[in-house]
Structure formats: C-alpha cells, structure tokens
Amino acid sequence: MSQSVQSEIRAFIVENFLFGDDSQPLDPDMSLIDNDLVDSTGILELVSFLEQRFGIAVADAEIVPANLDTIGRIAAYVGHKRADGTRLAG
C-alpha cells in the first residue's frame, strides 16, 4: 500500500470532514464511521474524491465498511482497484 495514497486520503478527510483541523490523531486503522468522522453523505463525497483523484470506478456494491471504514482500508482498496486496472472511462 502506498504511503502517498494514505497521505492524500488523510488530507482529504482533514480538509473536508475536520474542517482543516489536523490536530486529531487519524490512525490508519481508526474507524471513520464509528468515530463519527464520516456519515453516509460523507462516504459519497469520499467515493467521488477517490474516483476523481485516483481514476478508479467504485461500484455501489463496493461501498461497504470493509473497503471504506479506515484510511488503511481505503488505501488498500485504491491499491487493489489500481492493480486490477478498474478505472473510469474517459
């Protein structure tokens, strides 16, 4: 898993869900949902960011905590999608 992917995801979360407050610890294994950092609308914003930033396609069935609940899982998911070549057309 790429450290830079984790860093980019972390930066997105800090900017969009913590309003730029970088003082909170965001461990790569910390649940974003259980800690009320991201709600259902936030998940959709996160998916949009992942698709645009990393050029991947996120299927509705893949929008599950197993893929998107922690920064580590998100980065692993992005790495998996990139390895599979599952990208957006265009």
Side-chain angles (χ1 to χ4, degrees):
M1 146 176 44
S2 170
Q3 190 67 26
S4 68
V5 171
Q6 277 195 23
S7 295
E8 289 186 55
I9 293 165
R10 186 183 189 288
F12 174 81
I13 290 168
V14 167
E15 186 63 30
N16 291 281
F17 304 124
L18 299 175
F19 308 104
D21 180 5
D22 197 20
S23 65
Q24 291 197 26
L26 280 179
D27 184 87
D29 296 323
M30 184 178 90
S31 172
L32 302 173
I33 297 168
D34 289 346
N35 288 289
D36 295 326
L37 294 176
V38 179
D39 61 11
S40 58
T41 302
I43 291 292
L44 297 177
E45 292 177 39
L46 177 63
V47 167
S48 179
F49 165 74
L50 296 174
E51 289 182 333
Q52 291 177 11
R53 175 61 189 97
F54 300 107
I56 61 172
V58 179
D60 289 346
E62 295 172 329
I63 303 174
V64 294
N67 293 329
L68 303 173
D69 190 33
T70 70
I71 292 173
R73 287 182 185 175
I74 298 166
Y77 173 74
V78 168
H80 171 76
K81 296 292 279 191
R82 287 174 141 182
D84 280 355
T86 310
R87 296 182 182 269
L88 293 172

